[in-house]
Amino acid sequence: MSGKIYEKEHQIKYYECDTTQKMTLSMLLNIMLHVSGEQSHLLGVGDEVLAEKGLAWIILQYEVKVERMPAFYETITITTQATSYNKLFCYRIFKVYDTKGNLCVTVNSTFALMNVKERKMARVPDEIVAPYEAEFTKKLVRSPKPIKVDEENMISKEYRVRYLDIDSNRHVNNSKYIEWAIDTLNLEFLTTHEIKRMTIKFEKEVHYGQLIHSEMSATKNTDNDMTTAHRIVAEGVTNCEASIEWKTIE
Amino acid sequence: MSGKIYEKEHQIKYYECDTTQKMTLSMLLNIMLHVSGEQSHLLGVGDEVLAEKGLAWIILQYEVKVERMPAFYETITITTQATSYNKLFCYRIFKVYDTKGNLCVTVNSTFALMNVKERKMARVPDEIVAPYEAEFTKKLVRSPKPIKVDEENMISKEYRVRYLDIDSNRHVNNSKYIEWAIDTLNLEFLTTHEIKRMTIKFEKEVHYGQLIHSEMSATKNTDNDMTTAHRIVAEGVTNCEASIEWKTIE
């Protein structure tokens, strides 16, 4: 595994936490992306350089493994490394450590470049990836697929895309899909369970004003373990699929 | 004006900004509260000390004046100072400066203590406020009142309170009311106007699962200026009122 490693400390704020005072996964992913954005900027290939070429990074997939979700007021260290790339996909790993050096969260991610005008994926230009010193490989990394929603036993909630759901790419920010997915579960469940693993695949863009359905079905594995399958659907099109493994908070 | 001043630098992240790449007011208020929370913690009267007494800070009012809303990747300095207090209310001022020392935002705020169990306001104990060295005054600070919504010309949008809308006090976080208020305005307006002033008064708690109505009426002052009046209503009760002065983005 090659690629320059960049790291940054972050102090967890109360508004990055849920009612149990643990950091929310959507906020952690936001912060991780800020750290990789900062690495790009420092390497001279920041968003402003991409914008000049009519390009922007988009995220296609996250695989998240949580050992322990950090809590309010902790200081965490986030490391990020571009590991490999091919002509369409760039793979990047993020790790989150606590002050004792314990690994808290690992996230494998797949990025691609979008042609902002055409809203289509673009080939990865050499000069954009060279500074990260990641390995070029013709092999595609096989990512696990999210479990499919069981349509006969699903719960669905409706959400209208709000102004603050969209980002500077003028589409719904990835972290919002996670918020919609998780919100299908009730307060009692969410305050007694925590995320162990999540696989999420972003398929299509969602835009301001669209009405989306967040669909979810659940499977109980053991007394303490549950898996939920999620799908975000807008106008009959699946925009995002995810599955989440949960465990009971001890 | 007495009271110890505490200050902290903050680098603005992309997820703290809207699609115009300027910081959102809701996120700025979140960060300011983190800074005052940190001052309290360092003075030995942090949230954990209050929690032991069954108390928590709540915010009753914000008056916001924006000279220039800072943008993505800027580093800002936030200062906070408890200015005065009486037996029920504590007054605190926040200021936001850019790296050149220009004042960007001023926020006057009114805090109170809530008895967490009874969900009622509590008297301010001397030992809790003494460390801030703010002035005791019997006088109430007269805060401007938000303009009333014109019921005959109002727009209303419905929102269900989500899991991530509630905070560790188990009620809707103040910043969410601002998000609901602003979301009544459309994309075209929000991408061409910015907030100049806001007065917001938080009256009642809103809880998980409640259905709220975000109501808004608008008055055009000049070609470049507009005032909007807002009200957050749940089950027939007004929980929050606000008015916002907007100007056209140049």
Side-chain angles (χ1 to χ4, degrees), chain A residues 8 11 15 38 163 167 183, chain B residues 8 11 31 38 163 183:
Chain A
K8 186 153 190 175
Q11 181 198 19
Y15 58 83
E38 196 164 84
Y163 178 63
D167 61 20
D183 197 55
Chain B
K8 188 156 188 174
Q11 181 199 20
I31 294 160
E38 198 165 85
Y163 179 63
D183 198 53

Side-chain angles (χ1 to χ4, degrees), chain A residues 131-150:
Chain A
Y132 301 106
E133 296 179 9
E135 185 190 353
F136 178 84
T137 165
K138 284 192 173 168
K139 274 194 294 185
L140 295 185
V141 172
R142 282 181 71 96
S143 306
K145 287 208 171 79
I147 296 162
K148 292 281 172 194
V149 170
D150 172 6

Side-chain angles (χ1 to χ4, degrees), chain A residues 8 10-21 24 26-27 29-31 33-34 37-38 41-42 47 72-73 157 159-170 173 179-180 182-183 185-187 190-191 208, chain B residues 8 10-21 24 26-27 29-31 33-34 37-38 41-42 47 72-73 157 159-170 173 179-180 182-183 185-187 190-191 208:
Chain A
K8 186 153 190 175
H10 178 84
Q11 181 198 19
I12 301 173
K13 322 289 192 297
Y14 76 93
Y15 58 83
E16 295 165 356
C17 298
D18 63 19
T19 185
T20 73
Q21 306 237 35
T24 67
S26 51
M27 198 45 106
L29 294 168
N30 279 337
I31 294 160
L33 277 195
H34 173 76
E38 196 164 84
H41 183 73
L42 294 171
D47 287 345
F72 174 53
Y73 224 72
K157 280 195 179 181
Y159 301 87
R160 175 80 58 186
V161 177
R162 303 179 189 176
Y163 178 63
L164 291 175
D165 295 336
I166 59 169
D167 61 20
S168 60
N169 283 333
R170 290 264 177 145
N173 185 270
E179 296 185 12
W180 290 330
I182 287 174
D183 197 55
L185 294 150
N186 65 33
L187 183 67
L190 290 170
T191 50
Y208 175 78
Chain B
K8 188 156 188 174
H10 178 83
Q11 181 199 20
I12 300 173
K13 322 288 193 297
Y14 76 94
Y15 57 84
E16 294 164 357
C17 299
D18 63 18
T19 186
T20 72
Q21 306 237 38
T24 67
S26 51
M27 197 47 104
L29 294 169
N30 278 337
I31 294 160
L33 277 196
H34 172 76
E38 198 165 85
H41 183 73
L42 294 171
D47 287 345
F72 174 53
Y73 224 71
K157 280 194 178 182
Y159 300 87
R160 173 81 57 190
V161 177
R162 303 179 188 176
Y163 179 63
L164 292 176
D165 295 336
I166 58 169
D167 62 20
S168 60
N169 283 335
R170 290 265 178 144
N173 184 271
E179 295 184 14
W180 290 330
I182 288 175
D183 198 53
L185 293 151
N186 66 32
L187 183 66
L190 290 169
T191 50
Y208 175 77

